[in-house]
RNA sequence: GCCCCGGUAGCUCAGCUGGAUAGAGCAGCGGACUUCUAAUCCGCAGGUCGCAGGUUCGAGUCCUGCCCGGGGCGCCA
């Protein structure tokens, strides 16, 4: 949807204005007549029925500077809003310690639907257009992807989708750790399997190792280097297939090996030019402690070999030189200890530490009959991404993984997940979408639509419209906070709002048919968009 | 010892960066299918928001200390 005409790099804000933004602006304007608010007034949909369609705390924030009781100020605010909003304000009420509750007219609600029906509703909210690199999954290519990678993949992809919808230019990147000692260990394991020998201590013990070895002709006799390369290639191909089947499609598969030796040397040069390295105890160090790290870090060992950190430096230099405005790395919880040093290194390289985001994903714990099991690639004990998809399907799997905040650990009991997959809320949301399609089918292809109408709106219609109108703010919030799980929560709530409307209001055949079809169209479009942001399908029928 | 993430209903989790009587899904109990899709809907029950202080008109949310669970603190990758 972002193809075609170029857009302004900085938004005027006009694209974003909608009924809620107008309302918010009116409240802000009314407030500024009275005094200085200590913070921006809220404008929210109260969870409590009977507290109006929208509610603001502006009066309480103004009380100090205006030197008057909050409830008195709320009355003055209301009087001002009454003039500003005219017929759109149906009624108001001052409540509690000084809340101002607003009830908007049916006309305001009807007009709002047209806004929600506009193409791209909720998108393009970014204030500043950026070229963003999102690096995620980045699993070692020495074994199959497990559910932890699935979580990382679902999250990274959903975040990328959010950023794209928000208006950013996003590159999805997978960093392939195809260099270093784990590749050697993998090659040794492959050779042992090919020769029918026991896998050496510290090697990879999973059955997949034998399968991979079988796919490499002459594996028993190949040089370790070559065997490692072949093995990694096979694993990588498998990973690509698994991820594609899971709906995750990377733009770039970046090989760590290609950073050696030139990229690493280049990275060291850059640090050297910045005066950020020194030699001590026979090793080469980088002064990360001057940028917030606990201690300085070795990048070249006293034996002349590079540390893993050397690759990280080269990689981040490379990313910067590819012209990204923002780098987002999605890591597993076991890497949180590296956040400070990588941020420090990035700053030492002359980067802006705020332009490098390191997002830590908490783990997926495997639970079997109430017992926690440890997932480990080397021991071969894990639930694979493929297995998860085979058991419960892509949509249920993605929903399961995306419905929770990324900083909460997830307990996965595969038996339970299998049992409960039929009860996965994702189907409820999809069902609402399919049901709307069914209603439209019933109405026929030529049925009229209108956002005009007479007569009172049903409370369920008003609630559905209000829910639709909050979508742009939800997208904004989910994007700003890197929190796609909010979209899942929103999608469920929207599906509930639609289902209540469907229950209470006859659509096809009613004298409000054209209006209710327009409302249904808007609900369907937003449901489809929300599901798409999560990488979940929106079926026409179920 | 230090650092990061959690602790909210029986279970799994939200809680819009401080707002009104803390929510959802699942599980449980009781109801609803001659109707635009019952993968649905309605009702009931379920809580010392880990504990103790503090900040203020107001704290699940912010601060301090402690308890519990998970993860991390290499010249490994």
């Amino acid at each position: 949807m972002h193809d075609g005409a170029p857009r302004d790099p900085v938004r005027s804000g006009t694209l974003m204005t909608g009924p809620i933004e107008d309302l918010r602006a009116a409240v802000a304007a009314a407030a500024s007549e009275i005094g200085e608010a200590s913070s921006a007034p809220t404008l929210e949909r109260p969870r409590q029925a009977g507290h109006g369609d929208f509610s603001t705390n502006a009066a309480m924030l103004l009380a100090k500077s205006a030197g008057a009781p909050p409830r008195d100020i709320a009355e003055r605010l209301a009087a001002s809003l009454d003039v500003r909003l005219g017929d759109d304000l149906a009624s108001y009420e001052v409540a509690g310690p000084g809340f101002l509750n607003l009830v908007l007219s049916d006309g305001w609600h009807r007009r709002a639907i047209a806004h929600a029906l506009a193409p791209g509703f909720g998108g393009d909210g970014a204030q500043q257009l950026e070229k963003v690199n999102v690096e995620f999954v980045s699993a070692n290519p020495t074994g199959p992807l497990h559910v932890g990678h699935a979580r990382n993949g679902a999250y990274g992809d959903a975040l990328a989708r959010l950023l794209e919808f928000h208006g950013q230019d996003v590159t999805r990147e997978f960093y392939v750790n195809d260099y270093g000692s784990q590749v050697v260990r993998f090659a040794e394991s492959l050779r042992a399997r090919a020769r029918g020998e026991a896998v050496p201590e510290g090697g990879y013990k999973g059955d997949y190792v034998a399968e991979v070895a079988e796919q490499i002709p002459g594996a028993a006799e190949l040089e370790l280097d070559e065997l490692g390369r072949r093995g990694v290639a096979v694993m990588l191909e498998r990973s690509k297939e698994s991820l594609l089947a899971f709906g995750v499609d990377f733009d770039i598969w970046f090989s760590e090996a290609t950073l050696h030796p030139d990229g690493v040397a280049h990275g060291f040069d850059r640090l050297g030019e910045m005066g950020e390295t020194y030699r001590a105890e026979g090793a080469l160090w980088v002064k990360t402690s001057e940028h917030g790290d606990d201690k300085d870090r070795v990048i070249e060992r006293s034996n002349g070999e590079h540390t893993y950190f050397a690759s990280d430096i080269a990689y981040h230099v490379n990313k910067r030189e590819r012209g990204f405005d923002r780098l987002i790395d999605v890591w597993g919880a076991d890497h949180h200890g590296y956040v400070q040093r990588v941020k420090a290194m990035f700053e030492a390289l002359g980067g802006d530490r705020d332009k490098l985001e390191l997002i830590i994903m908490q783990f997926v714990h495997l639970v079997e009959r109430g017992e926690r099991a440890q997932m480990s690639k080397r021991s071969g004990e894990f639930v694979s991404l493929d297995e998860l998809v085979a058991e419960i399907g892509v949509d249920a799997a993605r929903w399961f993984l995306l419905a929770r905040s990324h900083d909460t650990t997830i307990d996965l009991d595969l038996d339970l997940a299998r049992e409960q997959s039929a009860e996965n809320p994702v189907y409820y949301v999809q069902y609402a979408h399919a049901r709307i399609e069914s209603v439209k089918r019933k109405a026929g292809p030529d049925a009229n639509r209108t956002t005009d109408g007479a007569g009172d709106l049903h409370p369920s219609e008003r609630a559905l419209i209000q829910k639709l109108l909050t979508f742009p703010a939800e997208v904004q919030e989910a994007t700003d906070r890197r929190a796609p799980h909010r979209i899942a929560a929103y999608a469920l709530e929207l599906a509930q709002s639609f289902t209540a409307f469907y229950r209470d209001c006859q659509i096809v055949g009613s004298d409000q048919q054209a209006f209710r079809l327009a409302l249904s169209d808007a609900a369907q479009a937003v449901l489809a968009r929300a599901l798409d942001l999560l990488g979940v399908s929106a079926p026409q029928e179920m």
Side-chain angles (χ1 to χ4, degrees), chain A residues 237-250:
Chain A
E237 207 44 52
R238 283 194 178 191
S239 295
K240 279 186 196 183
E241 286 170 18
S242 299
L243 286 163
L244 270 179
F246 193 50
V248 181
D249 191 0
F250 284 93

Side-chain angles (χ1 to χ4, degrees), chain A residues 10-178:
Chain A
V10 177
R11 301 307 166 81
S12 61
T14 50
L15 281 173
M16 279 196 68
T17 55
I20 291 185
E21 287 73 22
D22 292 346
L23 196 55
R24 191 184 298 278
V27 170
S32 69
E33 285 177 347
I34 295 173
E36 195 81 20
S38 50
S39 60
T42 60
L43 183 70
E44 56 184 14
R45 295 209 315 136
R47 52 166 79 98
Q48 191 71 26
H51 288 167
D53 296 325
F54 296 93
S55 170
T56 178
N57 67 351
M60 289 177 283
L61 300 177
L62 291 165
K64 194 160 283 180
S65 82
R71 293 185 62 104
D72 290 355
I73 294 172
E75 288 290 351
R76 287 161 61 191
L77 273 176
S80 172
L81 283 172
D82 204 19
V83 173
R84 290 172 187 280
L85 299 174
D87 291 341
D88 287 345
L89 183 61
S91 66
Y92 66 85
E93 178 198 23
V94 176
F99 290 100
L100 178 58
N101 300 331
L102 306 171
V103 176
L104 281 301
S105 71
D106 284 353
W108 182 88
H109 282 83
R110 288 182 197 278
R111 270 186 281 122
I113 296 174
H115 179 70
L117 280 166
F121 171 63
D124 290 345
Q127 297 298 308
Q128 192 79 38
L129 288 189
E130 289 182 326
K131 209 174 156 221
V132 185
N133 180 291
V134 183
E135 182 221 314
F136 58 110
V137 185
S138 298
N140 279 341
T142 54
L145 301 175
H146 56 60
V147 290
H149 301 125
R151 183 183 196 184
N152 192 302
Y155 175 87
D157 183 57
L159 179 57
R161 287 167 187 258
L162 267 172
L163 290 165
E164 280 171 342
F165 183 53
H166 210 47
Q168 312 296 22
D169 177 6
V170 180
T171 297
R172 292 168 174 77
E173 186 155 323
F174 186 119
Y175 182 50
V176 182
N177 298 118
D178 55 355

Side-chain angles (χ1 to χ4, degrees), chain A residues 23 70 104 159 197 244 271 290 322 332 341 366 403 452 477:
Chain A
L23 196 55
L104 281 301
L159 179 57
E197 297 166 358
L244 270 179
L271 285 172
E290 293 184 5
R322 277 187 275 154
R341 80 183 63 168
L366 208 52
D452 296 331
E477 191 80 17

Side-chain angles (χ1 to χ4, degrees), chain A residues 13 26 46 50 125 146 175 179 195 206 219 275 363 369 374 415 424 453-454:
Chain A
H146 56 60
Y175 182 50
Y179 183 88
R195 292 177 178 175
F363 283 163
R369 291 174 296 277
Q374 197 62 43
D415 292 329
N424 191 311

Side-chain angles (χ1 to χ4, degrees), chain A residues 58-387:
Chain A
M60 289 177 283
L61 300 177
L62 291 165
K64 194 160 283 180
S65 82
R71 293 185 62 104
D72 290 355
I73 294 172
E75 288 290 351
R76 287 161 61 191
L77 273 176
S80 172
L81 283 172
D82 204 19
V83 173
R84 290 172 187 280
L85 299 174
D87 291 341
D88 287 345
L89 183 61
S91 66
Y92 66 85
E93 178 198 23
V94 176
F99 290 100
L100 178 58
N101 300 331
L102 306 171
V103 176
L104 281 301
S105 71
D106 284 353
W108 182 88
H109 282 83
R110 288 182 197 278
R111 270 186 281 122
I113 296 174
H115 179 70
L117 280 166
F121 171 63
D124 290 345
Q127 297 298 308
Q128 192 79 38
L129 288 189
E130 289 182 326
K131 209 174 156 221
V132 185
N133 180 291
V134 183
E135 182 221 314
F136 58 110
V137 185
S138 298
N140 279 341
T142 54
L145 301 175
H146 56 60
V147 290
H149 301 125
R151 183 183 196 184
N152 192 302
Y155 175 87
D157 183 57
L159 179 57
R161 287 167 187 258
L162 267 172
L163 290 165
E164 280 171 342
F165 183 53
H166 210 47
Q168 312 296 22
D169 177 6
V170 180
T171 297
R172 292 168 174 77
E173 186 155 323
F174 186 119
Y175 182 50
V176 182
N177 298 118
D178 55 355
Y179 183 88
S181 60
Q182 87 273 11
V183 177
V184 177
R185 282 204 304 273
F186 184 47
E188 288 168 350
S189 303
L190 286 169
R191 184 159 69 185
R193 286 292 199 155
R195 292 177 178 175
E197 297 166 358
V199 173
E201 193 64 27
Y204 295 86
K205 296 186 170 62
D207 292 339
Y208 70 90
V209 178
E211 293 168 24
V212 172
E214 277 172 28
Q215 288 178 46
I216 303 173
E221 309 306 328
L222 282 175
E223 294 283 328
L224 274 185
D225 275 4
E226 180 62 14
L227 185 54
R229 268 194 294 278
R230 298 276 199 89
V232 164
V234 170
M235 284 318 312
L236 220 46
E237 207 44 52
R238 283 194 178 191
S239 295
K240 279 186 196 183
E241 286 170 18
S242 299
L243 286 163
L244 270 179
F246 193 50
V248 181
D249 191 0
F250 284 93
D251 300 301
I252 294 177
W253 295 74
F254 192 98
S255 158
E256 180 187 357
T258 63
L259 292 169
H260 295 268
D262 296 351
V264 170
H266 178 54
F268 284 13
D269 286 347
R270 287 300 311 271
L271 285 172
E273 288 161 16
M274 306 287 290
E276 297 284 354
T277 58
Y278 63 92
R279 286 214 169 261
E281 301 164 47
L284 186 64
W285 301 69
V286 57
K287 300 177 185 171
T288 49
S289 65
E290 293 184 5
H291 302 277
D293 195 8
D294 298 337
K295 51 176 283 195
D296 292 341
R297 304 291 170 177
V298 170
I299 54 179
E300 186 183 283
R301 295 198 280 262
S302 42
N303 67 6
E305 289 176 10
H306 295 142
T307 62
Y308 181 73
F309 199 45
S311 292
D312 258 347
I313 291 166
Y315 186 36
H316 283 88
V317 168
N318 179 287
K319 279 188 191 172
R320 282 190 69 199
E321 292 179 350
R322 277 187 275 154
F324 294 106
D325 301 308
R326 181 175 297 278
L327 304 180
I328 301 178
D329 297 357
V330 183
W331 291 348
D334 52 340
H335 282 71
H336 99 263
Y338 301 83
V339 170
Q340 282 310 320
R341 80 183 63 168
V342 170
K343 282 222 156 202
M345 167 267 280
F346 192 71
E347 195 174 81
L349 285 164
D352 175 351
R353 64 190 296 124
D354 294 332
K355 300 290 188 184
L356 172 65
E357 297 179 30
L358 306 175
I359 297 177
I360 299 302
M361 299 290 301
Q362 293 303 318
F363 283 163
V364 178
H365 283 120
L366 208 52
V367 176
E368 287 177 280
R369 291 174 296 277
E371 293 285 307
R372 270 199 174 161
Q374 197 62 43
M375 275 198 295
S376 156
K377 199 171 294 179
R378 283 188 212 160
S379 67
E381 289 290 319
F382 49 78
V383 174
S384 70
L385 164 57
D386 293 343
E387 213 174 326

